[in-house]
Amino acid sequence: MSRKRHKTGIKAWLKPYGYSLERWSYFFQRVSGVVLLLYFIGHVIETGTITGGFEVWLNTLNFTQNPFGHAILLIVILSGTFHAINGIRLYLTHQGYLLGKPERPEYPYYPKSFSRAQRVCFWLSVSIALVFFLYGFNILFGE
Amino acid sequence: MVERKIMLLHYYTGIAIIALVSIHIAMRLIMPFSESLEFSNVLNNYKNLPYTISLELLLITVAIHGFNGVRIILLEFKQGKAWESFVKFLTLILILIVVAWGTRTIVLTNLM
């Protein structure tokens, strides 16, 4: 078996289906992180235009404050909320709080690393992200 | 040992970001959203010292957390001493560039 066969790289990273829920959590945590970083860089550049004066700032607002810009903000709200709450789950797990007790492996072999408490936290992060998404939608498109 | 410390830094910056982003969003929501983006209101925000300090901290913590996250992803794709050193160097440079650009905005708006 060649070494190259194991090097699927980003293709494997972007294929969360066919595994457990933990894999989806891993996938969403990384994708949301990349989305947030791209937004952060854009936001730093965007706010930097205010130093150009009133006219430049007005042009920036015209460019960003429109339905497309608001849709991007909604994706950021969804990503940010999920990333934050799922990140707290990861922190608590890595500190050993949500691991549960070791058990003998029994069929069907569900991964023990993703305990019931962690599954609850995962769905909680998805639910809260959706609530914040709807709140953001109301603020951005309800005015 | 170094990776352990970097991971702890990643967690602590993450927790700090949750608090600092909450402040940042609260400042947007104390008035209607579109009004909060008006030129004079944004400038006034930058001239509010406690808020400016929180913005600078937010800038630094997000830059560290975000680019370190990308570093972790890149190290999952490929390993090796040269690659790891390159990614670490690139991460530090990108953090410095973004923090410098954001700090420039904060300083210049205070001089306006």
Side-chain angles (χ1 to χ4, degrees), chain B residues 10-28:
Chain B
H10 195 72
Y11 287 140
Y12 293 148
T13 50
I15 291 163
I17 288 165
I18 294 173
L20 293 166
V21 165
S22 303
I23 296 169
H24 189 51
I25 293 171
M27 289 297 279
R28 300 266 72 76

Side-chain angles (χ1 to χ4, degrees), chain A residues 9-10 13 26 30 34 37 40-41 43-44 47-48 50-51 53-54 57 61 65 88 91 94 135 139-140 143, chain B residues 11 18 24 29 32-34 37 39 42 46 59 62-63 66-67 70 76-77 98 101-102 104-105 108-109 112:
Chain A
I10 198 160
W13 190 66
Y26 170 90
R30 271 153 177 75
V34 171
L37 181 64
F40 168 67
I41 294 168
H43 190 59
V44 169
T47 50
I50 200 168
T51 57
F54 179 74
W57 181 245
L61 288 188
Q65 299 306 304
I88 293 171
Y91 174 69
H94 289 187
Y135 177 69
I139 297 270
L140 294 167
E143 276 184 6
Chain B
Y11 287 140
I18 294 173
H24 189 51
L29 297 178
F33 181 71
S34 54
L37 295 173
F39 187 73
V42 178
Y46 279 117
L59 175 73
V62 175
F67 286 112
V70 173
E76 281 176 4
F77 285 150
V98 173
W101 192 259
R104 170 195 165 274
T105 306
L108 288 180
T109 45
M112 282 169 89

